[in-house]
Amino acid sequence: MKNILVHGLGQNETSWDIVGKELKNNNIKVEVPSLYSMVKDVTPDYDTLYKQFSNYCNRFDEKLNLCGLSLGGILALNYTKEFPDKVNSLILIGTPYKIPKFLFKVQGLIFKVMPRSTFVKIGCKKKDFISLVNSMSNLDIEINLDKVTCKTLILCGVNDKQNMESAKLLNKFINNSSFKTIDNSSHEVNVDNPKELANTIYDFWKDRGN
């Protein structure tokens, strides 16, 4: 079994460092891909990123335990819909049920005035980051949820008010799913409370064939 942690939009692979270390202490090895590295040679959009992410996942012969936060959750969910036989289990953290289009427009304006150094820190060019965000505005995340057949855990930071309702809707419409909040955390659960998150992931994965 391969265990894969997928970071969010404003993060990079190092956002999982503490979670990964905690899981390793419990003898669970993880793969942590860099999403921006997958599209570094092209102007990224969601479809291109998803294609590269799918290729990455498909290179493993084993079944996958996927865990994604925000954008990482969208990618993991999309992959699970398309390749249900490849996915052993799925964890979605702070993942939207629908793209909040108005919020995306506001965020787009904010991103345009943010300094380039902010994006350099996560390993992505400013124009590429904005291009990726813009390409996500019409995603239909909520369709074909019936294609998710694996055991699924829906997580949300207890203070992540923006995504709490989405988490409950995903739990409602994904069969064989459960829902849990993580204390002392907002949207970036893997940064805000990595130890509790790692314990939660471990408890879920240890019963999924690790």
Side-chain angles (χ1 to χ4, degrees):
M1 209 76 65
K2 285 292 180 183
N3 308 306
I4 301 176
L5 304 174
V6 195
H7 65 78
L9 183 65
Q11 300 184 336
N12 59 28
E13 66 276 16
T14 65
S15 302
W16 290 106
D17 281 355
I18 299 177
V19 174
K21 182 179 180 181
E22 292 291 322
L23 289 170
K24 185 177 180 180
N25 289 340
N26 284 296
N27 297 314
I28 292 184
K29 296 180 180 180
V30 296
E31 303 284 336
V32 188
S34 169
L35 297 180
Y36 303 122
S37 294
M38 293 181 181
V39 289
K40 65 180 180 180
D41 297 324
V42 296
T43 298
D45 56 41
Y46 179 80
D47 289 341
T48 301
L49 177 59
Y50 174 67
K51 181 178 179 180
Q52 293 299 99
F53 177 74
S54 296
N55 291 341
Y56 167 83
C57 290
N58 286 334
R59 79 184 193 191
F60 298 111
D61 294 329
E62 307 99 314
K63 277 198 167 187
L64 310 176
N65 290 320
L66 292 176
C67 174
L69 183 145
S70 194
L71 169 61
I74 296 173
L75 290 165
L77 178 58
N78 199 354
Y79 181 84
T80 304
K81 292 176 188 177
E82 185 173 5
F83 301 100
D85 293 337
K86 280 281 294 180
V87 182
N88 181 60
S89 72
L90 176 65
I91 301 175
L92 302 175
I93 309 170
T95 302
Y97 177 77
K98 287 187 176 183
I99 292 295
K101 294 186 177 182
F102 176 75
L103 178 60
F104 257 50
K105 288 181 179 179
V106 172
Q107 286 180 328
L109 294 173
I110 294 173
F111 293 145
K112 287 181 179 179
V113 299
M114 288 173 64
R116 295 180 186 275
S117 58
T118 302
F119 304 93
V120 171
K121 290 178 182 177
I122 62 171
C124 184
K125 295 178 181 177
K126 180 176 179 177
K127 64 180 181 63
D128 291 345
F129 187 94
I130 293 173
S131 174
L132 177 58
V133 171
N134 289 340
S135 73
M136 294 172 61
S137 61
N138 292 314
L139 292 182
D140 295 317
I141 301 169
E142 74 277 15
I143 67 170
N144 297 325
L145 292 177
D146 58 307
K147 293 185 177 181
V148 179
T149 57
C150 63
K151 189 73 173 179
T152 302
L153 176 61
I154 315 295
L155 298 177
C156 190
V158 70
N159 297 316
D160 186 4
K161 307 304 181 185
Q162 182 65 41
N163 291 289
M164 188 64 71
E165 184 61 28
S166 284
K168 294 176 181 178
L169 286 169
L170 288 169
N171 179 217
K172 178 179 179 180
F173 291 109
I174 295 178
N175 294 325
N176 204 24
S177 69
S178 55
F179 168 64
K180 183 178 180 180
T181 57
I182 302 296
D183 292 335
N184 302 314
S185 60
S186 187
H187 184 54
E188 294 186 286
V189 179
N190 55 350
V191 175
D192 295 339
N193 195 348
K195 291 190 176 182
E196 182 177 340
L197 176 59
N199 289 336
T200 302
I201 293 172
Y202 172 75
D203 288 341
F204 185 69
W205 278 355
K206 72 178 181 181
D207 296 324
R208 308 273 91 76
N210 279 284

